[in-house]
Amino acid sequence: ITPASDVLCDVTPVGPCGDSGATSHSTSDMANFSEHWEITPRFLIMADGSRQIINTAGNCDIISTTTTGETIPIRLTNVLYAPNTKGSFISIPMLDKKGCKTTTFNGIMKIHLNGKEIGYAPRGHDNLYRFKMQFVKQDSKIDKCQLLQQRSITLTLAHQRLAHISKAKILATAEV
């Protein structure tokens, strides 16, 4: 996995909110998707009871920061495009389904995958937990091939150092 400090790209300044009531990850910014596709239209019911029709989903690449300052690239899968919402939301139940553990203590929510912290969200004055994560914008100046190349080189090194774990296993741990 390539540390984010080695990747020069444009990213959004405000991180997504953790949402314990959401059944899916969602974002209102199409540029947050690294790839997207049409889905059968369905309703997304918001916390206030309002509904909006969703017909696009995709994957989003995110640079996450841990409480120790380590940066980790993460791919959120099956994120819904919800243009009528404000911001982006990470579904805590969806993280749980993917094997992540979330904890909250003293105003900090942490996400762990396979025993390793992969992100955190301090509680804001509005009582929302905003993750210290930034979306890698679709219109970013970084060359996607360059990012994949850097990630591949790092995965090869990890493969050699971690008792020859398959690249597929390493990649699977980074998708939430």
Side-chain angles (χ1 to χ4, degrees), residues 9-16 29 31-32 88 133-137:
C9 57
D10 297 326
V11 291
T12 58
V14 178
D29 188 349
N32 287 344
S88 300
M133 298 176 172
Q134 298 177 322
F135 288 89
V136 177
K137 303 298 265 181

Side-chain angles (χ1 to χ4, degrees), residues 4-5 10 17 28 39 47 62 83-84 86 88-89 102 105 119 154 158 165:
S5 59
D10 297 326
C17 290
S28 60
I39 59 172
I62 292 179
N84 297 328
K86 291 183 179 179
S88 300
F89 300 89
T102 57
F105 183 71
T154 305
I165 292 175

